[in-house]
Amino acid sequence: MKTRYTFGGDEHIFVEMDDEMSLEAFFKAIAMARAVEAAKIDGVTEILPANASFEVRFNPDIIHPDTMMARLKDLESAANNAERRMQTRIIEIPVYYQDPWTHETVMRFRERHQDPNATDLEYAARINGYDSVEAFIEAHHSSPWFVSMVGFVAGLPFLYQLVEREKQIEVPKYLRPRTDTPKLTVGYGGCFSCIYSVRGAGGYQMFGITPMPIYDPEQKVSYLKDFMVFFRPGDIVKWKPIDRATHDRIAAEVEAGTYRPRIAEVTFDLDAFNADMAGTNAKLMEALNGN
């Protein structure tokens, strides 16, 4: 990895760890962002992590841009030597694959898609070498996913699949963006899965929907009363396929204020994961299941 520093106007520096997303680049970006925060540099007003990068906003009247750049480069050694483990959470997210709401949207925007004659799931299954939609869905939900960034749309998580690089799913975004995407759609674009936190435009392939809100600015959802955004960078997600009846039951529990997401506290060790991905994922699932 070769770190790149770029000015963005008078008040921002963008720090990019690598050209491609990887867990190594993510951990280095997080370590460096934490080092900047710990340094308490006079004039720094905001630190924004984003996948394998982060951005620093600063006041140029307090710290000169060249000085800010030099301080960041000095702090890079701390990131290189940082421990590559973190305390985090593994969270079960229910997903109703092939639901009627995203399917209706899929059909309305076929002219913007690479394959107008196939659904998003059929297209994704074919280009990733799976012989059926069911096999592709199994690949999507069978392994955990790492939240590498939260944002772009308020509360939207970007999720990176915790498997060997050659086994990761890859699906391009729509050729032209849609003007509508149902709220809580589970989508996919490039190497990232996501959950649309609100209804709006979008371009990710649509695979299903979750009945579990992840963003609530009014903070009426029972598990979002302390903070309106559910996900944090470093969270780990395990998708759980559900049917229509389960979807409707969970939606009713959310409305009644009785739904509680399934969550377990875990330690994620990047070096241990790289040494034994299947074993690490099995331990994550044991923690989620209370074993």
Side-chain angles (χ1 to χ4, degrees):
M1 290 184 290
K2 181 174 178 56
T3 306
R4 294 190 294 186
Y5 300 83
T6 308
F7 282 113
D10 296 331
E11 299 182 357
H12 299 85
I13 297 177
F14 181 66
V15 185
E16 187 177 22
M17 301 301 148
D18 202 0
D19 292 333
E20 294 185 359
M21 171 59 195
S22 68
L23 291 175
E24 285 76 10
F26 169 84
F27 268 76
K28 183 176 178 181
I30 287 294
M32 194 167 172
R34 289 175 176 172
V36 175
E37 182 178 12
K40 299 186 182 302
I41 301 169
D42 194 20
V44 170
T45 59
E46 199 167 8
I47 305 168
L48 305 169
N51 293 327
S53 62
F54 71 98
E55 185 175 84
V56 173
R57 184 179 184 185
F58 61 96
N59 184 340
D61 293 331
I62 297 176
I63 181 170
H64 191 279
D66 291 341
T67 304
M68 185 71 246
M69 180 76 80
R71 290 295 307 275
L72 289 175
K73 291 181 178 179
D74 288 342
L75 288 168
E76 186 174 354
S77 60
N80 289 331
N81 298 323
E83 187 176 42
R84 306 204 307 174
R85 67 166 59 191
M86 63 170 56
Q87 294 298 121
T88 187
R89 310 178 294 176
I90 182 167
I91 306 159
E92 184 175 86
I93 303 295
V95 183
Y96 179 18
Y97 291 97
Q98 303 188 88
D99 67 283
W101 305 285
T102 60
H103 181 77
E104 186 273 334
T105 306
V106 163
M107 293 297 102
R108 279 196 288 129
F109 291 96
R110 284 297 82 192
E111 81 283 358
R112 304 183 183 211
H113 196 270
Q114 289 88 344
D115 186 349
N117 297 317
T119 67
D120 292 5
L121 277 166
E122 290 168 344
Y123 171 69
R126 186 179 74 251
I127 67 171
N128 280 276
Y130 292 93
D131 58 9
S132 68
V133 166
E134 290 72 24
F136 178 81
I137 290 174
E138 173 71 21
H140 186 263
H141 74 73
S142 61
S143 59
W145 297 70
F146 191 90
V147 178
S148 61
M149 172 181 164
V150 179
F152 179 67
V153 175
L156 182 151
F158 287 77
L159 300 114
Y160 187 77
Q161 195 175 20
L162 291 177
V163 295
E164 295 87 347
R165 186 68 185 89
E166 62 272 13
K167 294 182 180 178
Q168 288 179 348
I169 296 166
E170 290 193 8
V171 190
K173 296 192 293 184
Y174 274 44
L175 291 175
R176 291 189 292 129
R178 301 178 301 273
T179 56
D180 187 31
T181 307
K183 179 180 178 180
L184 299 179
T185 289
V186 174
Y188 208 100
C191 65
F192 292 107
S193 196
C194 79
I195 303 171
Y196 282 75
S197 53
V198 297
R199 184 175 183 176
Y204 276 29
Q205 308 284 336
M206 293 177 284
F207 295 166
I209 204 162
T210 177
M212 180 182 152
I214 60 170
Y215 171 65
D216 181 18
E218 297 181 356
Q219 294 182 265
K220 294 180 178 180
V221 174
S222 58
Y223 53 86
L224 293 174
K225 291 188 180 300
D226 293 331
F227 194 62
M228 67 179 71
V229 173
F230 181 70
F231 286 109
R232 304 189 293 257
D235 280 341
I236 297 171
V237 165
K238 179 61 174 64
W239 308 112
K240 180 181 180 180
I242 59 172
D243 57 16
R244 175 64 185 267
T246 304
H247 171 280
D248 292 352
R249 175 181 59 77
I250 293 174
E253 290 176 3
V254 169
E255 185 67 23
T258 59
Y259 183 71
R260 295 292 182 272
R262 193 177 185 187
I263 302 172
E265 299 293 325
V266 294
T267 299
F268 184 80
D269 186 314
L270 179 58
D271 293 324
F273 173 75
N274 286 335
D276 183 6
M277 294 185 184
T280 299
N281 286 346
K283 290 178 181 178
L284 290 171
M285 291 309 303
E286 288 173 2
L288 182 63
N289 294 325
N291 298 327

